[in-house]
């Protein structure tokens, strides 16, 4: 970052900055000594690195970068506070672009969504209580922007018994909470589950996970910490087929370069200085923070449209390699996949285009449409995946390993009997099938399917928001007027 009007790290600088962190990461029961070069974690780092790489490419500059409203510098859009509807629309387009270039979850959106939600909520808390959170937050934001940092937005608590409020839990640590107030800050304990991209992040921004009442005020806390702060431990989640990344050869991975990851993040009596605390016991704003973060993050599921692009391309290629692309039912399935994928695109563009300015100056998405978009995301990728598997055929799950294909003993048989069209090398057929397997059943299925279901809130969370946001009375009024009902 040589020019002081530009605050953009290169992908290489990002990787180097991660090497300087001293994260406590566990996987398979052991501490990971070298996080950046670990074979299982590295593909996820590669995916985040794309958010840096693209920002330096002239053809993507407009989508990937923005002008900071606090410093006027050119910054990465992932560190930007949306200043217009145009910014919101570009955010959706950026998500699709990155999804299509990585074929997986590129992890950096959660931090962007946390920053934007906090820019509004800190402002609103100050207005009600005369606190100084927004000033603190903007100072922190400037630090994040100037250093082009990846922030992990950490919302989801383990939650224990879902029928009980935080203060009623048998173990109070099941919701992250304040355990001590000191002169210079607070001490917190608890955990955040399913944290996307956690060990690829420089910072971790904690937010409460549900709306809260006064009895739960110790749980209504939001703050940011460097990811390697003492007392923070990361425990990596497993993904289906994850150990294929440890195997020799890369064909069986499906996606050669990229992946995602999630981790449980444990806060064991961690100290947070006051200048990094953005909400402290203002329980009446906890619901607003959850709702605004969730709506932004539901918009962020534009990423799945990009992964859908990859899957559609893979399905069409598999059909061609099989010589089946001209069959009318195959053509129709490809049309259906595109129809569903573009319908998803409509949702993430619409909630952005219908966005508005909040009192803080931040532009916020249309909540109803963001929730409708995410509700569609809980369904359509599953249907797109079903159609891709239909087109791919059963070989998708019976294909022998790359090692067998390369074996001097049986390789010839595999290459002979698993050939599709004579002019297409069997290896290419294997590669495309492995990619479809990766997205619909393997490591990337976490991002494309299960995360589509549960990420940014499970389906029921969106249905509650849809019920709250639609104006049913108005709809009844117009219906009654048209058929002459007077009450
Ligand atoms: Fe971003 Fe999508 Fe990954 Fe969420 S699932 S972090 S929105 S890429
Ligand atoms: Fe997510």
């Amino acid at each position: 970052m040589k020019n002081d009007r530009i605050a953009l790290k290169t992908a290489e600088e990002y990787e180097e900055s991660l090497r300087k962190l001293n994260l406590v990461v566990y996987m398979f029961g052991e501490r990971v000594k070298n996080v950046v070069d670990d074979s299982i974690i590295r593909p996820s780092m590669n995916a985040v690195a794309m958010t840096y790489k693209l920002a330096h490419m002239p053809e993507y500059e407009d989508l990937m970068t923005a002008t900071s409203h606090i410093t006027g510098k050119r910054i990465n859009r992932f560190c930007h506070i949306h200043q217009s509807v145009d910014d919101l629309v570009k955010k959706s387009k950026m998500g699709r672009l990155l999804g299509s270039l990585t074929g997986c979850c590129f992890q950096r959106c959660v931090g962007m969504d946390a920053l934007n939600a906090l820019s509004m909520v800190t402002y609103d808390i100050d207005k009600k209580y005369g606190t100084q959170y927004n000033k603190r937050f903007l100072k922190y934001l400037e630090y994040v922007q100037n250093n082009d940092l990846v922030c992990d937005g950490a919302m989801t608590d383990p939650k224990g018994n879902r029928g009980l409020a935080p203060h009623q839990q048998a173990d109070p640590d099941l919701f992250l909470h304040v355990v001590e107030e000191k002169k210079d800050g607070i001490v917190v304990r608890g955990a955040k589950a399913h944290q996307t991209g956690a060990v690829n992040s420089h910072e971790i921004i904690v937010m409460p996970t549900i709306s809260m009442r006064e009895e739960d005020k110790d749980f209504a806390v939001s703050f940011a910490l460097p990811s390697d702060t003492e007392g923070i431990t990361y425990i990596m989640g497993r993904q289906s087929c994850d150990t294929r990344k440890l195997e020799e050869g890369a064909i069986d991975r499906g996606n050669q370069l990229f992946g995602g990851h999630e981790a449980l993040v444990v806060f064991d009596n961690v100290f947070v200085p006051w200048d990094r605390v953005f909400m402290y016991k203002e329980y009446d704003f906890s619901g607003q923070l959850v709702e605004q973060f969730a709506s932004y993050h539901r918009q962020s599921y534009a990423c799945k449209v990009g992964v859908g692009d990859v899957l559609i391309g893979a399905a069409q290629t598999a059909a061609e390699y099989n010589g089946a692309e001209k069959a009318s039912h195959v053509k129709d399935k490809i049309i259906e996949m595109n129809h569903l994928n573009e319908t998803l695109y409509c949702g993430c563009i619409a909630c952005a285009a219908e966005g508005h300015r909040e009192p803080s100056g931040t532009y916020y998405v249309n909540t109803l449409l963001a929730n409708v978009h995410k509700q569609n995301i809980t369904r359509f990728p599953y249907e797109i995946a079903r159609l891709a598997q239909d087109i791919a055929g059963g070989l998708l799950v019976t294909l022998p390993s790359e090692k067998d294909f390369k074996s001097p003993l049986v390789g010839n048989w595999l290459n002979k009997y698993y050939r599709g069209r004579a002019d297409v090398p069997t290896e290419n057929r294997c590669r495309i099938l492995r990619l479809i397997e990766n997205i619909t059943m393997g490591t990337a299925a976490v991002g494309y399917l299960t995360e589509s279901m549960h990420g940014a809130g499970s389906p029921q969370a969106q249905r509650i928001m849809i019920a709250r946001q639609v104006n049913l009375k108005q709809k009844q009024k117009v219906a009654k007027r048209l058929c002459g009902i007077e009450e």
Side-chain angles (χ1 to χ4, degrees):
M1 294 196 287
K2 289 176 190 85
N3 182 336
D4 65 357
R5 299 315 302 154
I6 298 174
L8 295 171
K9 273 193 171 78
T10 63
E12 292 72 26
E13 285 168 339
Y14 164 61
E15 184 178 331
E16 283 319 303
S17 68
L18 290 182
R19 288 186 193 284
K20 294 194 186 112
L21 298 175
N22 183 27
L23 301 181
V24 181
V25 181
Y26 281 85
M27 189 165 53
F28 301 122
E30 280 172 22
R31 173 115 188 237
V32 180
K33 289 189 192 81
N34 179 346
V35 178
V36 176
D37 295 314
D38 181 272
S39 305
I40 290 189
I41 298 172
R42 183 153 184 107
S44 71
M45 195 281 292
N46 290 341
V48 182
M50 285 293 276
T51 69
Y52 287 91
K53 188 177 170 194
L54 266 49
H56 289 274
M57 296 168 70
E59 61 268 49
Y60 300 128
E61 191 190 334
D62 187 43
L63 284 190
M64 295 300 306
T65 69
T67 304
S68 165
H69 75 296
I70 33 180
T71 63
K73 292 183 192 176
R74 202 81 196 141
I75 55 167
N76 195 295
R77 188 171 295 284
F78 282 98
C79 298
H80 183 52
I81 299 299
H82 317 302
Q83 296 299 303
S84 63
V85 162
D86 188 49
D87 272 345
L88 289 171
V89 171
K90 282 180 179 156
K91 177 196 159 189
S92 290
K93 293 186 176 181
M94 172 175 76
R96 181 176 192 170
L97 173 72
L98 276 157
S100 72
L101 293 179
T102 60
C104 69
C105 164
F106 42 85
Q107 308 144 59
R108 204 174 170 184
C109 335
V110 253
M112 162 177 59
D113 296 334
L115 292 172
N116 275 275
L118 279 168
S119 77
M120 301 188 293
V121 176
T122 51
Y123 182 92
D124 293 346
I125 300 177
D126 289 352
K127 223 168 140 202
K128 181 165 176 189
Y129 291 114
T131 41
Q132 297 286 312
Y133 292 122
N134 193 249
K135 214 168 106 194
R136 264 185 209 172
F137 169 76
L138 290 174
K139 205 173 147 225
Y140 173 71
L141 177 72
E142 194 174 333
Y143 164 73
V144 168
Q145 291 183 343
N146 284 342
N147 292 285
D148 199 3
L149 300 179
V150 174
C151 300
D152 171 22
M155 178 166 275
T156 310
D157 288 287
K159 296 198 285 281
N161 182 336
R162 271 60 173 170
L164 300 176
H167 74 279
Q168 295 169 324
Q169 298 287 332
D171 179 352
D173 297 347
L174 291 170
F175 285 81
L176 189 141
H177 59 117
V178 183
V179 288
E180 197 186 338
E181 184 182 318
K182 294 185 165 186
K183 228 174 139 194
D184 47 352
I186 54 174
V187 178
V188 298
R189 189 162 65 226
K192 293 288 179 180
H194 327 304
Q195 288 311 300
T196 297
V199 311
N200 292 328
S201 303
H202 306 98
E203 290 279 321
I204 178 156
I205 303 174
V206 167
M207 298 163 282
T209 200
I210 48 169
S211 63
M212 290 177 190
R213 300 204 179 142
E214 190 171 359
E215 311 86 86
D216 292 321
K217 64 177 190 298
D218 289 347
F219 302 83
V221 58
S222 178
F223 56 86
L225 283 173
S227 53
D228 59 352
T229 301
E230 199 188 330
I232 301 181
T233 303
Y234 301 84
I235 307 165
M236 298 293 293
R238 287 213 72 166
Q239 296 179 330
S240 172
C241 307
D242 49 7
T243 46
R244 286 198 195 176
K245 291 176 191 160
L246 302 174
E247 294 172 10
E248 241 175 73
I251 293 178
D252 290 355
R253 289 184 207 167
N255 188 330
Q256 313 280 301
L257 299 171
F258 303 112
H261 78 246
E262 267 82 22
L264 177 75
V265 187
V266 178
F267 296 77
D268 187 22
N269 295 322
V270 180
F271 175 72
V272 191
W274 283 122
D275 63 345
R276 279 171 162 264
V277 176
F278 309 130
M279 173 191 279
Y280 183 63
K281 301 191 180 183
E282 289 85 5
Y283 61 90
D284 46 334
F285 282 90
S286 151
Q288 181 186 331
L289 182 49
V290 173
E291 185 180 311
Q292 293 185 324
F293 168 77
S295 294
Y296 275 133
H297 201 45
R298 287 167 193 172
Q299 173 203 11
S300 285
Y301 274 66
C303 64
K304 305 306 177 219
V305 184
V307 182
D309 289 330
V310 177
L311 188 53
I312 294 168
Q316 174 68 22
T317 307
E320 289 175 12
Y321 287 178
N322 284 345
E325 80 280 11
K326 293 202 179 79
S328 64
H329 73 97
V330 171
K331 278 198 216 154
D332 193 56
K333 280 164 191 158
I334 296 285
I335 292 169
E336 178 66 7
M337 291 166 87
N338 278 301
H339 165 69
L340 291 169
N341 205 45
E342 299 303 331
T343 303
L344 292 175
Y345 189 52
C346 294
C348 62
I349 291 294
C351 70
E354 293 276 298
H356 66 271
R357 189 178 192 273
E358 284 282 300
S360 64
T362 304
Y363 272 72
Y364 179 45
V365 286
N366 178 297
T367 315
L368 173 61
L369 297 182
N371 279 276
V372 167
H373 169 58
K374 175 67 209 331
Q375 179 79 182
N376 287 338
I377 289 283
T378 66
R379 299 174 181 172
F380 297 178
Y382 284 86
E383 181 61 9
I384 295 171
R386 189 183 73 79
L387 291 165
Q389 290 191 353
D390 180 346
I391 292 170
L395 191 54
L396 187 62
V397 288
T398 61
L399 195 63
S401 70
E402 178 177 352
K403 270 194 181 159
D404 288 311
F405 273 91
K406 298 209 164 130
S407 152
L409 302 172
V410 295
N412 282 348
W413 285 343
L414 293 178
N415 280 301
K416 172 183 163 78
Y417 288 114
Y418 283 142
R419 198 150 190 116
R421 248 172 43 196
D423 61 335
V424 177
T426 312
E427 184 181 305
N428 288 5
R429 194 167 174 229
C430 294
R431 284 179 186 274
I432 209 73
L433 290 175
R434 287 293 181 211
L435 181 61
I436 296 173
E437 181 196 33
N438 174 256
I439 297 173
T440 64
M441 286 182 275
T443 51
V446 175
Y448 190 57
L449 299 179
T450 323
E451 233 224 310
S452 289
M453 179 75 82
H454 295 293
S458 306
Q460 191 56 22
Q462 291 112 56
R463 297 186 86 78
I464 292 167
M465 285 299 293
I466 291 168
R468 253 199 253 155
Q469 294 283 324
V470 291
N471 189 344
L472 260 188
K473 285 270 172 286
Q474 177 61 20
K475 292 178 201 296
Q476 285 181 287
K477 206 170 127 193
V478 291
K480 286 177 182 173
R481 196 190 55 200
L482 285 177
C483 62
I485 296 175
E486 281 176 31
E487 288 173 336

